[in-house]
Amino acid sequence: MPQVAGTYDGPPVTLRFWNGLTGGDGPVMRTLIEEFTVAHPNVRIDMYALPWGDFYQKFPAAVVSALAPDLALMHNFQVATNAARRVIMPVDEVLGTVGLAEEDYLPVVWGSGVYRGQRWSLPLDMWPDSLFYNRRVLEQAGLDPDAPPVDRAGYESALDALASAGVRGHWLPAIDPQGVGRGFDSLLWQLGGTHYDDAGRAATWAGPEGVEALAWQQSLIRQGWSPSDVSGSDANVAFKNDQNAFLWGGPGALINDLGQVDGLDWDVAPLPRIGTQRAAFSGSHQFVVARQQSFDADRLAAVVTFLGWILENSLGWASAGPVPARLPVLQDPGLQDLPAQAHVAQGVEHIRFYPLVPGIAEVQTTILYPAVGDALLSLGDPRAALETATTQASFLLTENAEKYGEA
C-alpha cells in the first residue's frame, strides 16, 4: 500500500464502503458516517450493506473484477481467509496515521488482524458472548435479580431453583447450530481445551475437555433445565415472555433486540465460569482496505482519514451493541451511559477468538457446530460425535491448507 500521511484535505472524493450491517447496527454506522462528513465535508462515503453471507461471496469477486469498494468491514475470523486470497491490503504502514498502538488493545484483539507477519485489519469492536438474564423471572423464583450466577455451582443451583418454581431456566437452542456452537466454544476454552493444533491442520476438540463441554450442554436437557428441540428464536421469545431466565449470546444483536421490548426487566453480565477458567467466545468487526488494480492517492488518504476518525470516535458505535475495541475508548466514562454495554465490558479480559487460519470459519460452521447441534438433539455419545467431526474437519483443514497455503 502506498504511504499516506496526515489528514486528507484534497478535492471532493466519494468512497465506497461495504459491510454486512443490515440489522439495527446499520443505522448506527450511517449516523457515524454523517458525523464524519460534517467534520470532513470533502469526503463522502457511500455505504453498501448486504447480508454477511452475500458479502463474503461478492467481496472477493468484486476485487478480482476491478469493482472493489475502497474499504470494508468484516469479521475477525474472515480476515486471514481474505488476506490469503490477496483481496485485502496490509495496513501496517498506516497504523500511526490512524492512531493504533499495541498498548491500546487487549493482546488477543491486537493480534487478531496479523497474518503471516503483516497486519491486514483494524479492530473496531468486541462482542463477547455474555449472560443475559431476566430479572423478574429470577426474583419470582426467590433468587437475587441483582446477583447473576458467576460459576458452575451457582448456575446449576439457580437452574434448580427455577425448576422448582416451574421454570426451565436455560433454553438451549439445539436446532440453532450457531447458538449452541458458540456456547460450546466458550465451554471448551473454560475447561482448558483448544479447537486446533498450532499449525491449524488438525482439530483437537474431541479431547476430554470437549467431551465434558458437550456433556454439560446435554445435561441442561437431561436435568430438565432446558426443553429439547428448541431454536434460538424459541429461546429468545421465551425470554421476552418471562418463560426462561438465561440466554447466552452476543451483545451486538441481543442488547438492541431486548431493549425494544416494553416492560422487559433484563440485564447482562459476563458468562459464568462453568470450567476451570473464565473464557467467552467473541467476535470483532474489523476494517479492511480492499486491493485495487491501481491506488488513487487521494482516495487512499481519504480512507485513512475516515478510519482514524471512526476508531477515535468508536464510543458512538457502542450503541449498536458491541463494545469498543480500543481500551481508552472502552474506559471512557460515556460508556456508563450504556449500562448493558458497560456490563458486557466487564468480561472482555477473558475473550477468545478463533485462530488466524484461512477458512477456519467454514470448519466451525459446517462441521463442528452441526455436530454439536446433532449431539444435543439425539443426546448421543459426546465423544463419538466430536470424534466424527474431527475426522471430517481433517479433510477440510487439509484442503484449506492446500488452497490458501500454509498458515
Side-chain angles (χ1 to χ4, degrees):
M1 179 188 296
Q3 288 191 343
V4 177
T7 300
Y8 178 68
D9 57 4
V13 63
T14 299
L15 303 178
R16 295 161 300 184
F17 173 32
W18 283 21
N19 56 59
L21 306 177
T22 57
D25 46 12
V28 177
M29 181 59 73
R30 293 184 189 278
T31 297
L32 289 172
I33 289 173
E34 291 171 3
E35 293 175 6
F36 168 79
T37 302
V38 170
H40 302 83
N42 56 338
V43 181
R44 173 181 170 179
I45 299 178
D46 285 346
M47 176 173 138
Y48 180 44
L50 62 166
W52 284 114
D54 295 338
F55 168 85
Y56 288 119
Q57 181 179 26
K58 293 182 178 181
F59 178 78
V63 173
V64 172
S65 303
L67 299 172
D70 296 282
L71 71 157
L73 196 68
M74 64 177 54
H75 299 106
N76 60 295
F77 42 80
Q78 295 283 356
V79 171
T81 302
N82 285 279
R85 287 174 168 168
R86 312 294 293 183
V87 294
I88 57 177
M89 293 294 296
V91 292
D92 303 84
E93 294 181 358
V94 303
L95 293 182
T97 307
V98 300
L100 262 71
E102 184 172 1
E103 61 268 21
D104 289 342
Y105 294 84
L106 295 168
V108 66
V109 178
W110 180 253
S112 63
V114 178
Y115 173 68
R116 290 187 174 176
Q118 291 182 294
R119 174 167 295 281
W120 299 84
S121 62
L122 306 176
L124 171 63
D125 59 23
M126 304 172 282
W127 25 280
D129 271 16
S130 303
L131 177 69
F132 291 79
Y133 57 98
N134 187 312
R135 299 180 71 259
R136 183 160 44 239
V137 172
L138 292 177
E139 190 169 26
Q140 289 173 348
L143 299 168
D144 186 347
D146 297 313
V150 298
D151 56 22
R152 179 170 182 166
Y155 199 67
E156 293 180 351
S157 176
L159 291 172
D160 265 338
L162 289 160
S164 296
V167 176
R168 293 184 174 184
H170 181 147
W171 286 33
L172 190 68
I175 57 176
D176 176 17
Q178 182 86 349
V180 293
R182 283 169 33 173
F184 173 85
D185 292 335
S186 296
L187 292 165
L188 176 65
W189 284 318
Q190 287 192 5
L191 290 160
T194 59
H195 290 76
Y196 306 97
D197 64 5
D198 291 341
R201 296 293 300 270
T204 56
W205 56 59
E209 301 89 355
V211 173
E212 183 178 353
L214 183 50
W216 186 82
Q217 286 185 306
Q218 289 181 331
S219 76
L220 297 175
I221 299 171
R222 293 184 188 277
Q223 296 282 358
W225 295 329
S226 169
S228 59
D229 304 348
V230 298
S231 68
S233 176
D234 294 333
N236 186 281
V237 171
F239 188 92
K240 293 175 181 177
N241 289 322
D242 296 338
Q243 294 175 312
N244 67 18
F246 302 122
L247 292 176
W248 289 27
L254 281 173
I255 285 178
N256 283 311
D257 182 32
L258 301 179
Q260 295 174 9
V261 181
D262 290 339
L264 183 62
D265 189 6
W266 65 279
D267 207 338
V268 59
L271 289 182
R273 179 180 55 78
I274 305 301
T276 57
Q277 56 192 298
R278 293 185 61 189
F281 165 90
S282 180
S284 168
H285 292 109
Q286 311 220 348
F287 286 106
V288 297
V289 177
R291 182 176 294 276
Q292 309 289 336
Q293 289 194 345
S294 62
F295 280 97
D296 179 280
D298 284 345
R299 298 177 72 85
L300 187 56
V303 167
V304 172
T305 298
F306 171 68
L307 292 176
W309 182 91
I310 197 166
L311 293 173
E312 179 69 24
N313 293 276
S314 58
L315 182 61
W317 174 242
S319 63
V323 297
R326 292 185 71 177
L327 297 179
V329 179
L330 191 65
Q331 295 157 2
D332 189 305
L335 188 65
Q336 301 306 314
D337 295 332
L338 300 168
Q341 287 86 334
H343 293 167
V344 168
Q346 294 172 1
V348 297
E349 292 184 12
H350 307 283
I351 63 173
R352 302 286 187 93
F353 287 166
Y354 298 153
L356 292 164
V357 177
I360 208 67
E362 182 184 6
V363 180
Q364 293 281 130
T365 58
T366 66
I367 295 177
L368 175 59
Y369 289 178
V372 170
D374 289 345
L376 294 175
L377 288 171
S378 68
L379 294 181
D381 179 27
R383 184 180 302 278
L386 294 174
E387 287 179 346
T388 298
T390 298
T391 302
Q392 295 170 341
S394 67
F395 290 105
L396 185 51
L397 289 165
T398 299
E399 286 182 0
N400 285 344
E402 296 172 351
K403 179 179 180 181
Y404 299 113
E406 295 293 335

